[in-house]
Structure formats: structure tokens, C-alpha cells
Amino acid sequence: VQLVESGGGLVQPGGSLRLSCTASGFTFAFRSSTMRWHRQAPGKERELVAAMIGSGGRILYDDSVKGRFTVSRDNAKNTVYLSMNSLKPEDTAVYYCGLVSPMGSAYWGQGTQVTVSS
């Protein structure tokens, strides 16, 4: 399974970005997979930002991003998105896409850098 993230970059505080993560190389149903976005800032542990749980559609957000970030998916394109609004300097991190298959195997993308700075 391969996960490829894109959409990171440099943005000013208050700005917006949309990250994409496209999955390939699998035989199970993408729509049944749990998709997650994590981030890791320098000197800190990787933390969960948002998740879409399996095919049920349940969505979870970390309290620090509620109301600002939105996770969505396009099952026809095997892609999950993270729309980030009202970005803050503390959102600066490498953002990783994760997939958990219906069988419970976990996979990670290579990460994309998001820098929020004036």
C-alpha cells in the first residue's frame, strides 16, 4: 500500500491549506478503511489530528483543530483530504496520512510539511 500526500506549504497565520492523500496498491475496499491525519512538530511526538472511521463515517478531531479543520474522503479517487482554515503558528508540523485496512494493518505516507508563519 502506498500513500502519497500533497498540498503542504508555507502559509500566513489565518490562512488555509488543503492536504490530499491518495492511496494505491491495495485490494481491499478503500471505503472500508479508516483514514487518519497525524502531525509531528519538531521535538514533539506524533499526534492524531483527525480520523474517519471505516465505512461508518464517524469522524474524530483533536480538540486543538475542532472548528478549523475538516476531514473528507472521495472513495472513487481513493483519496482523503484535510482542509485547514484559520491556521496558527502552532499548526506548523509535518502532516502524515495513515490508513488502517479492514484487516487492521496500518500504513503511513511520507509526510508533507506545513509551515504557518508571517
Side-chain angles (χ1 to χ4, degrees):
V1 176
Q2 290 184 322
L3 301 172
V4 178
E5 300 107 330
S6 62
L10 173 64
V11 63
Q12 292 186 343
S16 300
L17 285 174
R18 189 177 81 154
L19 307 183
S20 300
C21 172
T22 300
S24 62
F26 55 90
T27 57
F28 50 81
F30 177 78
R31 65 182 180 277
S32 297
S33 302
T34 291
M35 300 302 299
R36 305 183 297 199
W37 285 100
H38 292 243
R39 67 186 179 187
Q40 187 167 19
K44 296 187 177 181
E45 294 186 353
R46 189 174 297 190
E47 61 179 3
L48 178 67
V49 175
M52 298 190 78
I53 310 301
S55 58
R58 183 183 177 197
I59 297 176
L60 303 174
Y61 294 103
D62 183 79
D63 286 344
S64 65
V65 305
K66 282 182 179 177
R68 301 188 298 122
F69 289 13
T70 302
V71 62
S72 60
R73 67 197 295 168
D74 184 337
N75 292 326
K77 296 182 179 180
N78 294 340
T79 298
V80 64
Y81 304 97
L82 184 67
S83 296
M84 305 184 294
N85 298 314
S86 302
L87 283 162
K88 304 175 182 180
E90 51 263 44
D91 294 318
T92 295
V94 178
Y95 284 71
Y96 296 91
C97 170
L99 180 153
V100 181
S101 74
M103 295 76 72
S105 298
Y107 305 89
W108 292 100
Q110 82 288 352
T112 186
Q113 177 71 45
V114 172
T115 302
V116 185
S117 175
S118 55

